[in-house]
Structures are given as C-alpha cells and as structure tokens.
Amino acid sequence: MILNKQYLFILAFILMSGFVRAQNKQGIYVDAKGVIRWEKNHQEAAFFGTNYTVPFAYGNRAILKTGITAEQAIKDDVYHFSRLGLDAFRVHVWDTEISDSLGNLLNNEHLRLFDFLLAELKKRKIKTLVTPIAFWGNGYPEKDERTGSFSSKYGKHDALTNEAAFKAQENYLKQFFKHKNPYTGLTYQQDADILATEVNNEPQHSGAPERTTEYINRMVSAIKSTGWSKPIFYNISESPKYAAAIVKADVQGHSFQWYPTGLVAGHTLKGNFLPNVAAYKIPFDTIPAFANRAKVVYEFDAGDVMTPIMYPAMAKSFRAAGFQWATQFAYDPMATAYANTEYQTHYLNLAYTPSKAISLLIASKAFHQLPRLFKSDSETCFGAFKLDYKKALSEMNTEEAFYYTNSTVSKPVNTQKIKHIAGVGSSPVVQYQGNGAYFIDQVAKGIWRLEVMPDAIPVNDPFAKASPQKTVTQIDWKNSVMEVQLNDLGAAFEIKGLNAGNQYAAQTKTGRFNISPGSYLLIKKGLKSQWKAKDAYENIVLGDFVAPKASLKGVFVKHQPLKTASENVDMALKMEIFGLDQKDSAYMELNNAPGQWKSMGLNKIDPYHFTAIVPAEMLKPGVLNYRVMVHQANGKYHTFPGNVPGTPDAWDKLETESYQTYVGAKNAHLEVLNPESDRNNINIYNPDWKNNKMEFTSSENPLNLELKLSMNAPEKAAIIGFQSFIADYLSGRMTDLSGMSTLVIRMKSNLKNTKVKVGLIDTDAHFFSKEISADHDFREIEIPLNQLKADQQLLLPRPYPGFLPLYYQSPINAGFDLNRIEKLEVTFGYSDKIQPVNLTISSVYFK
C-alpha cells in the first residue's frame, strides 16, 4: 500500500513536470541575439495591449462605488480588449495591498480579483507580463492608505538599497510565484498565457552601482527559486545612469516606457504631435551586453491628446526600435470612464473614446504586421497604414480588413476578399449617422456579424481636473441610419438581433436600415442561417455585447466660437447639438451692437452636426455675440452656452452668457499671443525648474499681463522657451492672411543683445525660424515672414524618458505658408556667458 502511494506520488510528479514543460512549450524565450521567440516554432513573437487596474487601488474602490461588481467590470472590459484585437496585458501589481511588512503574501480580495482577471484574459487568449512589485501607495488620486506592507514601510528609495527591504522583497517574490490561481488551478509558472515577468515597476536607483546589480540578481534568484523558467525583464529607462549596472544583471531583457507629450497638462493639448512620436531612440546600444537583450515597452501613452493618430505612429516607432511587447497605460474601466477619474492625463475606452479606441486596434495590427527594426521613408504612410492629422484619421487597409478612426473616402483594397471592418463615421462601404464605433465581420459566406456601440457625447474636457461628480462624456443610445455595401452581402439582406433582449428583425433591399446599439447578424437574401447567439466566431461569441447605459440627459450644445473673424466676410460656424428629438428645432440669435439682435436658422447636416453662415453685414469691427436656442416640440426652450431653460425673450430671463468672436477691421493686426488670455495655452521648455521660472507679471500697465521667463543659474549655452497653439486665432481671419507679411514680437530682456529665436510651426510639422535679439527696453521687433528659414523645432511637451530627442526637423522640404501655421515657438539663451538672463514678452502679432 505504501509502495502504491509512493508510486502514485512519483507518477503524479512526473506527469506534473511533463505538464509544466508542455505548458512552457506554448510560451516564449529570448534567443542569443535578444529576440523574443515562440517555443513552439521558434518564430519571432510580438504582443500589443494595455494596462488595466480594476483589482487594485483606486480603480477597485471606484468600481465598487458604482454598485457594479469588480468581476462584472472585468468581464465587460476584457471583452472589449478582445474586440480591439489586443493580445497583451500588463499592470504593476499593488504589492502594498497584498503583502505585509515582512513580504508575506496576503491571500485577500485584491489578489483574488487579480487572479480572476488573469483567468478572464486567458479565456480571450490575451497574454500577460507580470510585474509583482510596484512600490506605490494605493491612494492616487486619493490619499494613500496605511497598509502595513513592505513598500509602505520602506518606500521606493529604501526598497532598492536597504538590506531588510531586500529580504522582505525576496520573501514576497518567493510566495507570489508559488501562489496558485484558484480560477485556473495553475501557478504563474504553469500558466502558458503568463509569458514573462518584469521584476518591479520603475525603479529609481541610487548609491553604488554594484548594489543595483546585487539587488536585481537577488530578486531574480528569488523568482527562479520557485521554479520560474520564463524570461525576466528589468526596467532600464527609469534609471539610465545605472544602465551599465543593470545590464550586468542576470535578466533576459529590459523594459522601457514612453510618454511623448508629457503628463498632466490639465487640458486637452492641441496641435500635430506626430513629431513627438517620430522615433524612439535607445541610448544604451554602446553597452555591449545590451545588444543581446530583448526589449519591451511596459507603459506608453500620448498624455492629454485626443486626436486618434498617436497610437499607430507609436507602434511604428516601437517596431523600428526593435520592441516586441507594448502595453498602453491605462485603459479606463467602462464603469468609471464617464468621469475619467482614475488617471486624469489618460483617457481610453471603447465606449467613451471610440475613435481613440479604434486607433488602438489599428496600432495593434501595425505592431504585429510591421517587422522588427522596420524602416520607413514616411511618418504618415507605412505598410497598410495611413495617418492624417488634419482629418483626425488613422487607417488600415488590407485585402481582408479595413479600419478607420473617422470618416474616410478611401476604398477597401479588395472588395471581393474583405472580411473585417471597424470604424467610426462613414466610408465607401459603410455610411453611418451615429458617432459610436462599429464592427462588421464575415462569419460565413453571405453572413456577417454587426456590432454597434452607442454614441459618445463629450461634454467636458477629459484632461481637466477630474471628479466623480463631473461627467466628461455622456452616452446616447440613438437609433441611427446605417447603409452597408458589401459585395458578399449584396443590397438585399436580413438583420436579426443577437444580444440578450434584442428582438430586432428587419429586411432591406437597398443596404440601408435603422439600427440601435447591439450585436446583429446580417444575412444575405436567399440564405438561411444556422448561426445562434451562443455560437463562437474566433474569440467572440456572436451574442456578446457590452455597453454602458444611456446617460445623456436633456439637450447639450457643443460649440467653440472663433476667436477672431474678418470684417464684412461671411463667417461659417459649426456646432454639435445632442439630445434633439425629431420635431425639435434650433436657431441662433446674433448681436453686433447694443440692443440689436438678429435671428437665424441652423442647417442640419446629420443628427448631431449643424452649420450656419453668419452674413457679412453682421461682421462689423468690434465684438459679435450670439446664442443658440433650442425649441423643443413640447414648447420648452433652452439657451446656450449657459443651458438656461425658459423662453429666451421672457421679461424675467436671467441669461447673460453668450458666445463671442472679435471682428477685426480690414488690415487690422492679428494678435496671436496675449499673455493674459493665453496663460493656459503655453507649453514651456524648462530643463531646470529649480533655478528657472515662468511667471505672468505686469510693468507698464497693471491690467495687461506679460510673460516672463527667467534663467537664474544657467549652464553654458542653456536655453528656455515655449510653444503656443495659435491656429485658433488664424482660422477666422484666413481672408486677411494674404495681406500679412510680418511677424511682430514686443519684448525686452535684462541683458543687452539677448539672442532669441522666434519661429512658426505648420500643420505638417515644418518649422521656420529667425534669430533676433532683445534689449533692456520693450521694443516691437519686426520679422518679415519671407526671412524665416527651415529649422528644427522643440518637441513640447518634453517627451519622457528624458533621453529621447528634444528636437525634430521634418525630413521633407516645404515652403512657408501662413495659412497652414498652427504654433508659435520662442526660445532664448544660447550664450557662452554664464549669467542670469530673462525675457519678457507682452504681445506677438501679425501685420
């Protein structure tokens, strides 16, 4: 009997060992040249996805406050990950919530939810890179809680230098990697969908380099002592001065991050930021041992940017630099994305940011399709991918797939072979009047699956100060017109609802039909479909559908008035109006003199978009004020911009807000920088915040602010400067620009002949500049536009990590055209004399 038990134990051990090896054959390894390859066939591997935080910290607390369970939130979001073609997940585990001060693993709710998340990702064939140590507290954006963990006790600095902290981390890592996921029955080593580990998150090393190498090797040894045999990565971009010490450690690769537009601007950044993501330059190639290390990107995002062109451009640059893993930070849980409270500077969710989400889908395809060390002669056209900043358009166009982030006139490469469509807006194959994302996939010949997300209605700046009480995007479940023209489907087909509770059934003879959010089958006329809602197609169950509830309340007008306009020239206005019923109407009231108001109708372009042409006779030098009135079928009125209810002409109406545009007289100057009104529109380059400063002061007139930049302890040839987005000033004065030939800057400096560079950046990122000098007294210095020369611009906001390029010069020659200018850049310093210097600017204008 004892022998039988021993035999069974040995047999079980042998079988388990074989099971582990079989699991690992589905994993990855790093070859002798630092290339990540599949164990099963030795082919190069590539993974692209996102970070996601619901099991931990604020992400978890915020979800629970909504009344939604964390499990349901995870299921919903993981479905969307799959829908967006993602196959990679990474997040720094908040060790502070699952450990004590000695590094003992706490088998608590946070660890359970992390395991639940891993199991849900596994179902969708999404791979995981585990980062077990974060060092962070669990508060942000709230205050940290006292958790009693080793990270809470030692903090990041001591955790990387203190011997007791080393021991606590070794203890924690041993327990963490021996832990078995209750939902899969597997340890992280045994789970084939957990591919690798990154020791910790963003270590900032100090002290002796030898101690850094020792720390890494001890953590690696602790991990391997558990039987871990998968690749181990260590961050090198956060402590570049310690790169040589880091590369000496026993790891297979190194992790990097990329925040090319900085973080936490406090508002949406405007302009073409493709130069900021033109290339990812790695400075460690001079270290011999680095050459055979694999490279992954654990976090990336273009902070505070909504334009849906950045992710594909970043994917291109990642592949050109040799990266094989990239995960965005961080995907907003659908349950809390209405307010964007988790990470104010990031905003990404399929339901709430549809165009940006489709751009992530396109980026994932680019990352997988473009070869490692890919080279391209174009920053906007590469492989099957195209980027158009002016149209807010990212596009992928192959024989089988056609994806786009905004309306496009491009035609599919092959209308006979196309199988997958995803987009926002309209294209030659799909005309759609809603603004949510949609997906159309061929299930079988003549049978297609349609999934339509509800409309996303932006109502506040998502990158401004956040609060759960402030909604930044509302959801509208609108019934909209769609027209699908696919050769395989024909013009006559049947539409059948698939998702739970969706009883919709209709037929079309023209390809045109009304549709609400949900999942559907489109069945060619004459075919009989046996497909059911519970049937699976690739990683998608046909009846799957996840979307937030409708939240749009009442009527909302979204409109940005022109800053300036030209005298006696028709002015075109555009606006979006949400929440209108079919019989509601909207009109404007305009005023360009006291007591003189003129009513004017609005032209409806589609269910949300309206236009109006303000006649030239209303455009007199001075100020044009106007309001938008919504008259509902039930007789109620709403006046905007204040959204004040009631009859607009009633005697007791208190509405005083109005949209406002300044009208310039013919040949009037066009001011493009006013320190008073542009205080929040300036991106500064300041390499030394300790000694340098930016301030708004006044000297000649206390009512007029001046912008003052100071370098109080400059190094040799140091500079400081700024960029300001000025296209909003130019857009309403286009008819006047042809008569303007000079840029004028009014400025002074504390030093005589202070060298200043002034330049203009156009929409295609060409920079034209001229060097001038400032003196002790304010002077208006004129710069003829025909004297501006092609130059390299600053990349602002400054990309992070700081070893990335500071300057960009377009590889394409172009002529200067004032009609295409969108940014002003001013820098100064450049001196070999090391002495304090400042520059004060009161105004910049064209004449």
Side-chain angles (χ1 to χ4, degrees):
M1 189 71 175
I2 293 175
L3 290 174
N4 286 341
K5 285 184 177 180
Q6 290 176 333
Y7 172 77
L8 291 173
F9 175 79
I10 293 170
L11 178 62
F13 177 80
I14 293 172
L15 291 173
M16 181 57 70
S17 298
F19 172 72
V20 171
R21 286 195 299 273
Q23 288 281 306
N24 286 341
K25 286 181 181 177
Q26 301 302 311
I28 59 171
Y29 69 96
V30 178
D31 72 13
K33 294 183 178 180
V35 179
I36 301 173
R37 297 186 180 277
W38 287 107
E39 288 183 328
K40 59 187 176 183
N41 57 17
H42 308 294
Q43 297 296 311
E44 283 194 24
F47 307 93
F48 190 91
T50 190
N51 286 246
Y52 175 73
T53 69
V54 164
F56 302 105
Y58 176 82
N60 181 253
R61 299 192 300 270
I63 289 289
L64 298 181
K65 289 177 182 178
T66 68
I68 298 172
T69 66
E71 290 89 341
Q72 188 59 53
I74 288 169
K75 286 182 178 180
D76 291 347
D77 291 324
V78 169
Y79 169 66
H80 283 168
F81 296 169
S82 182
R83 205 69 198 86
L84 292 172
L86 307 182
D87 63 353
F89 162 76
R90 178 266 182 192
V91 74
H92 48 67
V93 170
W94 269 263
D95 55 278
T96 192
E97 292 190 318
I98 61 170
S99 69
D100 65 16
S101 63
L102 299 177
N104 293 309
L105 185 68
L106 305 180
N107 203 341
N108 59 17
E109 181 71 357
H110 296 292
L111 183 58
R112 182 189 72 80
L113 287 173
F114 181 63
D115 285 334
F116 179 83
L117 170 59
L118 295 178
E120 290 300 307
L121 293 164
K122 185 178 181 68
K123 292 176 184 177
R124 300 286 183 181
K125 300 180 181 180
I126 297 172
K127 309 299 183 181
T128 294
L129 170 67
V130 177
T131 304
I133 298 175
F135 305 117
W136 299 115
N138 71 341
Y140 184 87
E142 300 170 327
K143 291 183 178 180
D144 286 342
E145 297 174 339
R146 290 175 172 263
T147 62
S149 67
F150 65 84
S151 285
S152 180
K153 179 178 180 179
Y154 297 106
K156 181 181 287 192
H157 178 271
D158 286 351
L160 298 170
T161 57
N162 183 286
E163 180 61 27
F166 280 24
K167 291 180 178 178
Q169 290 171 85
E170 289 170 320
N171 184 37
Y172 166 76
L173 290 172
K174 290 175 182 178
Q175 295 184 36
F176 182 86
F177 284 99
K178 288 179 181 176
H179 166 74
K180 184 176 288 188
N181 185 333
Y183 295 98
T184 64
L186 303 171
T187 65
Y188 301 150
Q189 163 67 23
Q190 293 167 342
D191 191 336
D193 291 309
I194 297 177
L195 298 182
T197 184
E198 178 194 24
V199 173
N200 54 32
N201 182 72
E202 298 183 352
Q204 295 170 349
H205 287 283
S206 60
E210 295 79 12
R211 187 64 164 163
T212 292
T213 307
E214 178 193 353
Y215 168 82
I216 301 170
N217 283 337
R218 285 176 60 173
M219 298 307 113
V220 169
S221 179
I223 293 170
K224 287 184 175 180
S225 72
T226 68
W228 182 268
S229 61
K230 303 176 184 182
I232 299 176
F233 294 90
Y234 198 84
N235 184 296
I236 197 171
S237 59
E238 193 71 8
S239 298
K241 292 181 180 179
Y242 284 78
I246 292 169
V247 169
K248 288 180 181 178
D250 181 23
V251 295
Q252 287 69 57
H254 297 289
S255 55
F256 296 75
Q257 82 273 60
W258 201 9
Y259 292 116
T261 55
L263 295 170
V264 198
H267 60 273
T268 299
L269 296 174
K270 295 180 179 180
N272 183 356
F273 292 100
L274 287 177
N276 295 55
V277 293
Y280 194 102
K281 303 290 187 181
I282 298 175
F284 310 121
D285 293 338
T286 56
I287 305 173
F290 182 78
N292 60 2
R293 297 290 171 84
K295 297 183 282 292
V296 301
V297 180
Y298 66 97
E299 290 178 11
F300 73 89
D301 196 28
D304 307 305
V305 175
M306 282 300 293
T307 310
I309 59 174
M310 301 297 282
Y311 294 147
M314 295 177 81
K316 171 190 71 71
S317 295
F318 286 145
R319 291 303 276 160
F323 290 107
Q324 293 181 260
W325 173 288
T327 36
Q328 181 269 351
F329 191 92
Y331 190 91
D332 281 81
M334 188 179 71
T336 55
Y338 74 94
N340 193 29
T341 53
E342 187 175 20
Y343 292 99
Q344 168 191 335
T345 196
H346 308 290
Y347 197 34
L348 174 66
N349 179 274
L350 175 57
Y352 288 88
T353 66
S355 290
K356 203 170 178 182
I358 296 298
S359 80
L360 192 74
L361 164 63
I362 294 170
S364 179
K365 298 299 182 183
F367 196 84
H368 287 88
Q369 292 182 21
L370 299 176
R372 186 174 55 89
L373 304 178
F374 167 80
K375 290 185 173 139
S376 172
D377 294 331
S378 172
E379 294 172 10
T380 56
C381 294
F382 42 93
F385 306 92
K386 182 174 73 174
L387 309 177
D388 190 325
Y389 159 65
K390 299 180 189 71
K391 296 179 180 177
L393 177 63
S394 294
E395 190 176 285
M396 184 188 98
N397 199 347
T398 68
E399 284 200 341
E400 292 193 349
F402 185 35
Y403 303 143
Y404 42 90
T405 62
N406 208 339
S407 292
T408 178
V409 296
S410 298
K411 296 179 180 179
V413 169
N414 192 326
T415 56
Q416 300 296 326
K417 293 185 178 181
I418 192 169
K419 293 182 179 180
H420 305 285
I421 300 166
V424 177
S426 295
S427 72
V429 289
V430 181
Q431 296 291 310
Y432 183 52
Q433 293 189 353
N435 72 4
Y438 52 82
F439 304 84
I440 308 176
D441 301 283
Q442 188 184 49
V443 177
K445 189 171 180 59
I447 299 176
W448 294 67
R449 180 184 186 270
L450 167 66
E451 183 172 352
V452 180
M453 294 296 292
D455 293 353
I457 313 301
V459 295
N460 282 299
D461 189 336
F463 303 120
K465 187 173 182 179
S467 167
Q469 282 73 52
K470 185 183 81 171
T471 296
V472 298
T473 307
Q474 296 182 349
I475 296 296
D476 190 7
W477 280 58
K478 199 174 187 69
N479 187 285
S480 298
V481 175
M482 177 176 278
E483 183 176 335
V484 177
Q485 298 292 339
L486 291 166
N487 292 348
D488 178 68
L489 191 60
F493 53 85
E494 179 184 1
I495 307 107
K496 292 175 61 176
L498 287 171
N499 56 295
N502 188 349
Q503 302 298 315
Y504 183 83
Q507 294 182 347
T508 178
K509 296 180 180 179
T510 63
R512 186 179 175 89
F513 52 95
N514 290 322
I515 202 74
S516 295
S519 57
Y520 303 83
L521 269 189
L522 309 181
I523 306 165
K524 185 175 183 177
K525 184 178 180 180
L527 289 182
K528 290 186 177 181
S529 171
Q530 302 299 317
W531 291 87
K532 306 295 184 185
K534 63 181 180 180
D535 293 335
Y537 170 71
E538 296 183 349
N539 288 337
I540 305 295
V541 175
L542 294 183
D544 280 349
F545 182 70
V546 172
K549 295 179 180 178
S551 58
L552 181 64
K553 297 177 181 178
V555 181
F556 177 75
V557 174
K558 182 182 179 183
H559 173 62
Q560 183 64 47
L562 293 172
K563 286 188 174 182
T564 61
S566 298
E567 176 187 6
N568 292 328
V569 177
D570 289 350
M571 181 175 72
L573 298 179
K574 297 178 181 179
M575 64 190 68
E576 295 172 271
I577 305 179
F578 305 101
L580 290 182
D581 289 334
Q582 192 171 4
K583 294 183 179 180
D584 295 345
S585 61
Y587 63 99
M588 295 171 56
E589 284 188 351
L590 303 94
N591 165 259
N592 65 350
Q596 297 181 18
W597 288 92
K598 175 182 177 68
S599 292
M600 208 178 118
L602 295 173
N603 301 314
K604 186 175 182 180
I605 305 302
D606 61 37
Y608 294 134
H609 292 86
F610 293 77
T611 63
I613 302 296
V614 180
E617 58 265 26
M618 290 293 295
L619 277 298
K620 303 299 181 186
V623 179
L624 175 70
N625 294 289
Y626 58 96
R627 303 188 290 245
V628 175
M629 319 298 196
V630 172
H631 184 200
Q632 296 178 292
N634 60 10
K636 294 182 178 179
Y637 284 86
H638 291 267
T639 305
F640 293 86
N643 194 8
V644 175
T647 304
D649 298 321
W651 70 271
D652 59 348
K653 180 178 178 295
L654 299 177
E655 168 69 348
T656 59
E657 290 186 65
S658 65
Y659 301 108
Q660 181 174 278
T661 296
Y662 289 93
V663 181
K666 191 174 183 179
N667 299 322
H669 295 169
L670 173 55
E671 188 174 44
V672 292
L673 180 70
N674 183 307
E676 167 66 28
S677 56
D678 288 314
R679 280 180 291 172
N680 297 320
N681 190 34
I682 293 173
N683 288 319
I684 186 172
Y685 172 64
N686 184 357
D688 183 4
W689 284 100
K690 180 180 178 181
N691 296 298
N692 301 344
K693 64 180 179 179
M694 176 180 76
E695 54 190 324
F696 293 92
T697 64
S698 63
S699 57
E700 298 178 327
N701 185 339
L703 297 179
N704 295 335
L705 291 183
E706 299 155 357
L707 171 62
K708 183 177 182 181
L709 300 172
S710 305
M711 288 194 293
N712 298 312
E715 297 180 356
K716 186 176 181 180
I719 69 165
I720 186 172
F722 68 91
Q723 289 175 356
S724 179
F725 186 81
I726 65 173
D728 290 344
Y729 287 104
L730 275 64
S731 59
R733 297 278 301 274
M734 286 298 179
T735 57
D736 296 337
L737 295 185
S738 60
M740 296 182 179
S741 61
T742 306
L743 177 67
V744 182
I745 179 168
R746 189 172 188 272
M747 63 181 181
K748 69 176 182 177
S749 174
N750 65 314
L751 300 178
K752 187 175 179 61
N753 294 323
T754 296
K755 182 178 175 182
V756 181
K757 182 186 287 188
V758 180
L760 300 168
I761 304 169
D762 70 16
T763 55
D764 293 317
H766 301 109
F767 179 52
F768 307 89
S769 73
K770 182 177 175 60
E771 292 180 0
I772 55 177
S773 61
D775 289 326
H776 296 294
D777 298 321
F778 270 120
R779 289 191 302 136
E780 291 193 344
I781 302 173
E782 297 189 355
I783 305 172
L785 297 181
N786 60 12
Q787 293 184 10
L788 297 174
K789 303 298 182 183
D791 197 357
Q792 58 180 4
Q793 61 172 286
L794 282 171
L795 291 177
L796 297 180
R798 178 72 171 101
Y800 187 84
F803 56 70
L804 291 168
L806 173 62
Y807 293 97
Y808 171 87
Q809 183 159 2
S810 174
I812 302 171
N813 293 324
F816 179 85
D817 183 352
L818 186 55
N819 291 278
R820 297 192 294 114
I821 295 301
E822 69 171 18
K823 291 180 186 177
L824 166 74
E825 178 177 304
V826 178
T827 56
F828 73 98
Y830 302 101
S831 176
D832 290 333
K833 296 180 180 179
I834 303 176
Q835 52 187 324
V837 59
N838 61 58
L839 183 73
T840 303
I841 300 172
S842 64
S843 178
V844 180
Y845 62 89
F846 290 107
K847 70 172 188 176

